[in-house]
Amino acid sequence: MTAKGHPKAITRLLLHLHPKKVNVQAIKFNRTFGLGGIAALLFVLLFISGMLLRFAYVPSVKGAYDSIVDLQENILFGSILRNLHYWSGMLLVVVSFLHVLRVFYSQSIYHERRKNWLYGLIIMFLVVFSNFTGYLLPWDQLAFWAVTIMTNMLSYIPFIGDALADMVRGGNEVSETTLLRFYHFHTGLLPLLMAFLLSVHFWLVRKSKGVTVQKMEEKQMVDTNPNLIYKEIFTALIVIVALLLFSMLVNAPLLEKANPLISPNPSKAPWYFMGFQELLLHIHPGFGIFVIPVLVTTFFIYIPNIKYPNLNVGQWFNSEKGKKLTILSLIFSLVLTIAVILTSEFFLDLRNWMPNIPVLISTGLLLLLLYFIPAAAFLFYLKSNQKAEKIDLVMALFTIIITAYIVMTIIGSLFRGEGMHLFA
Amino acid sequence: MVFKKIKFNRRTFIKRAIYAALSIEVLYVFTRLLNKNNQSDKENGLYDAGNINFFENDKVYPFSKGHFYLSRFKDGGLLAISTKCTHLGCTIQFNNNKDKFVCPCHASAFTKNGEVLSPPATRALDIYPITIIDNKVMVNTSKAIRRNKYDASQLTYV
């Protein structure tokens, strides 16, 4: 505010993103952990640093790699700029993911927030897609082979897979067309789409009267400015300083220039897709790339549309029992996933044991059942012995899926070495 | 029951029809744009691998620029095998000591005729059509042929 008490137009606009008064419970840090706000901040940081990087970057096979090297070596603060963009992008994937977990487990996706859950999922997808399209731009070995692997994963989608992969790449291998295409997605279409969807996302939060709170009946309201605004600025400053420090200390990776003739050993997809790559090592690609993701996505979208008898909106894990069952599911999924991975890696050779059965059944369906039957039995146990309600079961299933993906991501990225062998 | 919820009259019908037509049009133009470059790739002609007499029987020759291996069998038959692993598209290498193709990315292995020796790959390596013109081996690298297994009809003889 200026001295006369007439805030400037932009300040006023920004202040109007919030309501005039907010619930005391809603602005406690451990209600949201500021995750949505941090994600929005990272989007802005990425937008600014990305705009600057565009002035240095040359989107061609000949020029891309050299322009990055030039940026890092000859331009003042060039490497900090690139690091900041890189680490903000990676952090955005993590923070958005945590944000999804937070709203899910605090029961903040039901009734009037149903639609916003869907928008949130779309934005989460766009965040990952943006990160992935940006991954190719440095045109080094890491980028080239990660994108080669990822686009080839697409070709396993039945019927349209090959056409889709060729369409994404603009040919049957990663080339200059792919680079240019990814560049335009990354710097044009996707940020624009996200800016639009973020506005809808924020507006829908306002429409549902802000974030959910633990005790809905207590409505002690305080002024947003300064109570919430100070907290936001404080968090934002900490994030910015931490990112800047990190960017000064840790360089974004840059390997040697991309060489289509030599694949590095091992070649890995970007870390957030390593769960898929790990899955693909065990199960038939038709299942790993198509059946399972479609089932999981449908389930996620469908969650808020189920009718729950005892829903406590805003309660972490719905109830104390829900919390207990969620932790139980987490442990169960941790053990089961690791067990199945080890079994499949060291003991199973379904393909050669059953040479006459199509691989779609032997390494596909059978392996899925190997995971599915214990999981179903566990859910049944929760229902009959632990008296789990519908909401508890949905949380349990969600927890199993998420934990499995995290376990696969960690095993794939950290425990696989040469030739993608475990503990190599 | 479900149909009761959907309000459907002349105005909404026209509105939705216009939206649908517009979206289809935009989508069509966009996919055509994205597919534009695919066609130009396919015009690339033949790759000249050299004189047929140069290739000894029972040996494998790399053509890294053409992205294929030329494998000559014991009976003199030729097979041009793509270097693109059928698992996730990494570039395979021929291991002379073990007499097999190995993918560095995820350890898939293939026999000399391109069949899967060990997973995660599920299908044999692609091949390219070979034509022999004036004793020269010409490989059509723009036209990969998918196959599940090797059979003798895939070989080209002089």
Side-chain angles (χ1 to χ4, degrees), chain B residues 13-72:
Chain B
F13 175 75
I14 293 173
K15 233 196 230 166
R16 281 178 199 172
I18 292 174
Y19 287 152
L22 274 177
S23 331
I24 291 171
E25 206 171 315
V26 170
L27 211 69
Y28 179 72
V29 170
F30 191 52
T31 41
R32 283 306 293 263
L33 258 176
L34 291 182
N35 277 326
K36 190 189 132 247
N37 293 71
N38 287 354
Q39 268 93 46
S40 61
D41 275 358
K42 283 174 186 146
E43 285 163 20
N44 297 343
L46 300 172
Y47 186 96
D48 182 356
N51 194 306
I52 177 112
N53 298 321
F54 172 78
F55 302 110
E56 292 172 31
N57 288 356
D58 203 20
K59 277 208 166 163
V60 177
Y61 298 88
F63 288 88
S64 50
K65 251 194 183 160
H67 295 260
F68 66 88
Y69 279 93
L70 196 65
S71 178
R72 190 154 199 195

Side-chain angles (χ1 to χ4, degrees), chain B residues 6 10 38 48 74 89 98 105 118 120 138 150:
Chain B
I6 301 172
R10 181 172 44 89
N38 287 354
D48 182 356
K74 280 177 187 160
K98 292 179 182 163
C105 293
S118 55
M138 305 297 269
Y150 161 79

Side-chain angles (χ1 to χ4, degrees), chain A residues 314-382:
Chain A
Q315 280 295 337
W316 277 103
F317 306 103
N318 201 52
S319 60
E320 275 305 312
K321 188 174 75 186
K323 190 173 175 181
K324 197 185 101 194
L325 297 185
T326 303
I327 295 173
L328 209 60
S329 317
L330 185 133
I331 297 168
F332 168 79
S333 180
L334 207 66
V335 174
L336 179 66
T337 312
I338 293 174
V340 169
I341 288 177
L342 291 179
T343 321
S344 149
E345 178 87 12
F346 295 114
F347 303 114
L348 289 184
D349 192 4
L350 293 168
R351 188 193 175 77
N352 291 332
W353 291 350
M354 292 173 264
N356 298 323
I357 297 173
V359 280
L360 198 63
I361 292 178
S362 64
T363 64
L365 197 59
L366 281 179
L367 206 84
L368 187 66
L369 289 179
L370 184 67
Y371 197 92
F372 199 75
I373 291 171
F378 175 75
L379 288 179
F380 184 75
Y381 159 79
L382 289 190

Side-chain angles (χ1 to χ4, degrees), chain B residues 47-116:
Chain B
Y47 186 96
D48 182 356
N51 194 306
I52 177 112
N53 298 321
F54 172 78
F55 302 110
E56 292 172 31
N57 288 356
D58 203 20
K59 277 208 166 163
V60 177
Y61 298 88
F63 288 88
S64 50
K65 251 194 183 160
H67 295 260
F68 66 88
Y69 279 93
L70 196 65
S71 178
R72 190 154 199 195
F73 285 60
K74 280 177 187 160
D75 62 352
L78 285 167
L79 200 61
I81 299 172
S82 160
T83 56
K84 188 177 167 185
C85 179
T86 53
H87 176 228
L88 288 174
C90 291
T91 302
I92 53 153
Q93 311 279 346
F94 186 70
N95 187 324
N96 267 319
N97 303 327
K98 292 179 182 163
D99 232 21
K100 61 180 182 183
F101 294 103
V102 185
C103 178
C105 293
H106 309 113
S108 295
F110 305 86
T111 61
K112 257 158 98 178
N113 55 30
E115 280 193 306
V116 179

